[in-house]
Amino acid sequence: MIKRMVTINGAPRMAITRPDTTLATYLRESLGLTSVKVGCGQGHCGSCNVIVDGKLVRSCSYKMSRLTEGATITTLEGIGTPDNLHPLQVAWMAHGAAQCGFCSPGFIVSAKALIDTNPKPSRDDVRDWFQKHRNACRCTGYKPLVDAVMDAAAVVRGEMKVDDLLYRIPADGRIWGTKYPRPSALAKVTGTLDFGADLGIKMPEETLRCALVQAEASHAKILGIDTSEAEKMPGVFKVVTHKDIKGKNRITGLITFPSNKGDGWDRPILCDEKVFQYGDAIAIVCADTEEHAKAAAAAVKVDLEVLPAYMSAPAAMADDAMEIHPGTPNVYFEQHLVKGPETKPIFDKADVVVEDDFYVGRQPHMPIEPDVGFAFFNEDGKLCIHSKSIGLHLHLYMIAPGLGIEPDNIIMVQNPTGGTFGYKFSPTMEALVGAAAMATGRPVFLNYSWYQQQTYTGKRSPFFINLRYAATREGKLLAMESDWSVDHGPYSEFGDLLTLRGAQFIGAGYDIPSIRGLGRTVCTNHAWGSAFRGYGSPQSEFASEVLMDELAEKLGIDPLELRYRNVYREGATTPTGQVPEVLSLPELLDTARPRYLAAKEKAARESTAEVKKGVGISVGVYGCGLDGPDTAEIAVELNEDGTVTIFATWHDHGQGADMGTLGTAHEALRPLGIAPENIRLVLNDTAVCPNAGPAGGSRSQVVVGRAIKAGCELLLGGMRKADGTFRTYAEMRDEKIATRYSGKWSAPCTDCNAEGQGSPFAVYMYGVFLAEVSVELATGKTTVDKMTLVADIGKIVNRLTVDGQLYGGIAQGIGLALSEDFEDIKKHSTMPGAGFPYIKQIPDEIDLVYVEVPRPEGPFGAGGVGELPLTCPHAAIINAIHNACGVRVTRLPALPEKVLAGLQGK
Ligand code: MCN
Ligand code: FES
Ligand code: FES
């Protein structure tokens, strides 16, 4: 043990700890300073930043033994508090710089250390600083963070007033379309918001800490699990295996398409007979401390007979491949696409035909906060599971039969969540902590390491696509033929739905009269496929948007012009035969054109013999909703004090569910003249919130938003008097008029049929991406110099939110294009190893241009936004690389060596 007298946030403290305890652990667990977040735990993300003796340090990898006697430590708590904010915190709120907010404390501490040493930083200084200190953000695309630092520094220098940063409600009281800061912003920028790991620390003493025993093979038969030694290890309460699970020990995707050859019951909670992928959970050790749990987990002996592992769709489709789930073929679902007349005669006669093969790989989600959750039995004997779930009711029904507990006896709650980007559309640890709580009868807590997050949560499912276009000499698309294989990993949940996305989005945006296609879902032993922002569109549209450029090249038509000739106009239908709800694409392209031409001139001007510059374009389209009659329900209640409460499961990945709920409810309740702070939000707890559905498919603003609008209108109807004024709560009570209303909405849509035809979404998002890149000829290295997105997402509810969504999604698109991957389980298990984009990989120049065409079915004209920015920015980048240097990359990511090989092969 060591003893140090130190000063923490201005107060003297005596620290007595083990020398190898990290500073982060000491600050968080001994002092409760949970503004210090632990993301990667490996020195790669900066979320644990604190200032020690004036220097910025990453406290997760700073041992207490390094602290000198008398050291001075500053955490975010020492920089500003909710009632005494530092200008950095105010600026963070003003610029919407805290989305999920998990990285915010680390960034603000880092920025404080910067402006302490350099009070007048340039934007480049700020970017260099965050790069050097490895401050990683997955949500914001970094630009708002730099904006915030520049303003805060100006305030600190006395050149700007902090008041200038504060939001003021417009005179008409309307917050719709403004930069009203999200309700959770204050807690996020002050580090007072408890994320799952913070709540875990604060749980009662009897809480058992869990560690997983995981498979280190990708495919194996389990011959035996020996827990005897582990059971005897210090602090161990119980080692839970499949034998302790009362139910079916399987997680189900609930809905499996009728032609799916599997039954959907293929994912074990704890493996019993087989291991299906690397990292599969085999046992859970529950102990008094995490350290004891981990030590005992290492002592569990698992006897495996390793089987051949099929790590890609082609491998699993080979004739001699064994069935990964015996009894179900590895190709377990097929989706046909039949639109218009036969394609073959059209291809035979067409002026021009282009064809290519495309691959978009296993993009990892890489939230900064690793997966975390806990479970306990409440005073009514109900099993309460708290996690990062963004589909609470969905997950409840997916895990209940496996656990062997009635759904009515489970309560699911979403913790404040540090980003999911879709991986939490699937249950991850919910059933694990549920099983552990049921087997031990005690509260249990499980926190993945970032390594576990990376290796044992779902990933984007790779698509292998072959695509052909037939067109006229003038560039009019006549027909399309597509073939796509989806590597969905070993678990089938939502795999058929994802495969359907290929039918819906390959060629989206263009009026193609004749289409034939066939897609298939393939079971493999690589990471299980889970939803990822864009869900199928980044794979599908990469193929159709890069092939558009190949067609443009073959025809000698400019790529923007070729798109202009084919986008949806009056009389057009989507690949599924749906009539688009608005026709904004021509206007988006018209808006993009002058920017595109200027960018091309600039690229020509600035290209050198060493560095070639280029410009690329792509069109992005995605639906807002789950297919067909997607439904949401919320409740709205007038309170005695005149405030109104909205109860909803609008799950918050970090995108701003709180702001969306508030913004929509406030707009709906405007006749009351209610102030936004008088609308209370009760979100994401199945005990008290009706089922508004999961936050996937950029559906919430449209579908939950319509339910909120409906509920608020019913309340207004109840409150409205004959003279048009509104009753008070007391008047409602006296007149026995209900004060609580249920708001419901179902999309007027139809599911796609076996031939991929239908009208699956009521609202779509449309965008045109422009990428400006530099390619270094000696190395093949690509730098994105600038991105522009001309977007139509309908009416904007909150400008900070939508800007943030677009910046963040574009940054992920840059990562997808150039660096991100999870093919190599070992190499890609860390943030830098997996190609996480740090600030210098993302340009400071990102232009967002909005064309707000009101959506007939959206609440007050709003569409969705979350996934638009990741539909296909990567295609624009790949097209720009070709424009710069003539190399066409059709298999992502476009790593320097790949581009270089292309250059050398030319
Ligand atoms: N919004 C708005 N005006 C509009 C449309 C939307 O202000 N016209 C706001 C909404 O109020 C909401 C946000 O934009 O706060 C996104 O709305 P929407 O597109 O309806 O999407 P959801 O709320 O259903 O969020 C899910 C979506 C998806 S599917 C993924 S994946 C995703 C995403 O949003 N993951 C995210 N954005 C993310 N952002 C962060 N920071 N972290 C994630 O994990
Ligand atoms: Fe410490 Fe990532 S750098 S948690
Ligand atoms: Fe930065 Fe979410 S706001 S990681």
Side-chain angles (χ1 to χ4, degrees), residues 24 36-49 57-62 102 133-136 368 370 450 831 838:
V36 181
K37 305 294 177 202
V38 176
C40 69
Q42 299 173 320
H44 296 149
C45 76
S47 62
C48 60
N49 276 161
V57 306
R58 291 186 283 274
S59 62
C60 71
S61 32
Y62 190 100
F102 192 82
H133 293 284
R134 295 190 211 149
N135 283 111
I368 311 291
W450 208 83
M831 261 184 205
Y838 288 90

Side-chain angles (χ1 to χ4, degrees), residues 99 139 419-422 533 650 653-657 660 695-701 793 795-798 801-802 805 862-867:
Q99 284 190 34
C139 298
T420 94
F421 310 104
R533 195 176 200 170
W650 187 334
H653 303 248
Q655 83 278 21
S698 303
R699 67 183 282 281
S700 308
Q701 185 58 61
I793 55 162
K795 288 291 178 191
I796 292 171
V797 182
N798 184 275
T801 313
V802 299
Q805 286 298 290
V865 69
E867 289 165 291

Side-chain angles (χ1 to χ4, degrees), residues 97-104 136-140 368:
Q99 284 190 34
C100 78
F102 192 82
C103 72
S104 306
C137 176
R138 189 62 163 160
C139 298
T140 62
I368 311 291

